[in-house]
Amino acid sequence: MSASNQQVNNARFNEATQWDANKKHAEGVGKAFDAIQRYIPAFADGTSKSLDVLEIGCGTGLLSFQLAPHVRSLVGVDTSDATIAAFNAKTTALPDPSAANLAAVNVLVQSADDVYLQGAAAALALGRGESGKDLPYRFDLVVSHLTLHHIPSLGELLATLKDCLRPGGMLALTDYEDFGPEAIAFHAESKRPGVERHGIKKGEMEDVIDGVGFNEVRVERAFELRKEVEAAGGGGKREMDFPFLICVGKK
Ligand SMILES: C[S@@+](CC[C@H](N)C(=O)[O-])C[C@H]1O[C@@H](n2cnc3c(N)ncnc32)[C@H](O)[C@@H]1O
């Protein structure tokens, strides 16, 4: 992300204190959670409780808090202060915050060995009684929802995510599809600054994920989200269906 787009994006999500109140956000996250469970074998074969998960663009934790009870640990990263503060407030409000198996850090991850990412993973490992011999920490699953359209270089991100995974680790990234010029309507005009692309393209994602060396690459339509958008020409509202892709790959 260019420095200016990063700043616009941060300002935008730093203002987004009402994120969780939007029912469409919760509906989309619920559908992403279902799709992850369908595409990642550990959720079907009963082994998901052994997964250490990294979430890119965790936001306020809508997806993180749904996933956490089903996995061993989850580290969320996000570049917005306000969303991380909202995430942390939810963790603090848990009945026993010291036993939480999830944590969030405000960082732009550009290396698997990032000190903040490693620190968060280490704190969770210590919390479950591990000695810290497994350094550097790596993950079994990387997820993200509605974040790829904010990322300037998908190739760089995917290469970093591959480094973050253990051998055999998997990706499950969901975002709305760029199915043509109409996809631009996903964001109201006022929300478009800071958006790098109007959805993700199936062929492009397959090439990028394959290009950085993932195996068993699948980029497929996983669900649809119907939401209200601005009517063309300004003024008024209409409803539109947006297809979402899930991007899967194995290290
Ligand atoms: C549309 S929101 C989605 C948040 C969350 N995944 C959800 O569905 O509720 C996108 C999030 O990605 C974050 N983000 C944008 N670029 C990022 C980057 N390079 N690394 C980490 N987070 C990023 C934003 O700050 C924002 O919280």
Side-chain angles (χ1 to χ4, degrees):
M1 190 176 299
S2 65
S4 59
N5 252 359
Q6 180 81 64
Q7 280 160 0
V8 171
N9 191 42
N10 284 354
R12 164 145 161 244
F13 288 106
N14 280 342
E15 281 168 15
T17 48
Q18 295 307 310
W19 184 263
D20 289 9
N22 184 324
K23 289 197 175 116
K24 280 294 156 188
H25 294 157
E27 185 185 335
V29 166
K31 289 180 172 185
F33 177 55
D34 289 345
I36 292 166
Q37 289 181 297
R38 289 199 308 276
Y39 278 83
I40 299 300
F43 290 94
D45 69 19
T47 59
S48 69
K49 280 297 269 180
S50 67
L51 297 178
D52 291 319
V53 180
L54 169 64
E55 182 179 356
I56 303 294
C58 60
T60 61
L62 286 181
L63 178 60
S64 334
F65 281 82
Q66 284 203 45
L67 273 171
H70 302 273
V71 301
R72 183 165 78 150
S73 73
L74 185 145
V75 176
V77 298
D78 202 288
T79 48
S80 142
D81 297 334
T83 63
I84 293 291
F87 187 118
N88 289 340
K90 289 180 192 173
T91 312
T92 309
L94 290 171
D96 183 1
S98 66
N101 70 338
L102 78 176
V105 269
N106 180 353
V107 64
L108 174 66
V109 174
Q110 292 176 303
S111 156
D113 295 335
D114 178 276
V115 65
Y116 297 102
L117 175 62
Q118 290 296 317
L124 290 176
L126 284 173
R128 59 179 182 260
E130 285 177 18
S131 60
K133 278 187 290 190
D134 257 359
L135 291 171
Y137 289 94
R138 296 294 184 250
F139 299 87
D140 305 296
L141 174 65
V142 178
V143 299
S144 83
H145 177 61
L146 274 179
T147 300
L148 294 178
H149 68 267
H150 290 294
I151 306 285
S153 171
L154 292 171
E156 280 174 28
L157 177 74
L158 267 296
T160 304
L161 298 187
K162 186 164 170 249
D163 291 344
C164 289
L165 285 166
R166 298 186 173 118
M170 294 192 73
L171 286 176
L173 315 175
T174 50
D175 208 338
Y176 71 101
E177 181 178 6
D178 177 353
F179 58 93
E182 274 218 82
I184 196 170
F186 189 87
H187 290 98
E189 221 171 313
S190 63
K191 297 275 172 65
R192 289 179 198 158
V195 169
E196 291 286 339
R197 59 184 64 72
H198 298 291
I200 54 171
K201 292 183 175 162
K202 176 176 160 61
E204 231 172 66
M205 290 311 301
E206 285 167 344
D207 289 349
V208 170
I209 298 170
D210 191 58
V212 301
F214 279 94
N215 301 308
E216 301 176 29
V217 176
R218 291 166 75 185
V219 178
E220 296 176 2
R221 278 194 182 179
F223 59 91
E224 274 197 351
L225 188 68
R226 186 172 185 79
K227 68 173 213 143
E228 198 173 70
V229 299
E230 285 172 345
K237 299 274 182 195
R238 66 193 163 108
E239 295 232 308
M240 210 175 133
D241 290 317
F242 290 91
F244 274 66
L245 297 174
I246 187 162
C247 308
V248 179
K250 190 170 188 173
K251 178 166 171 174

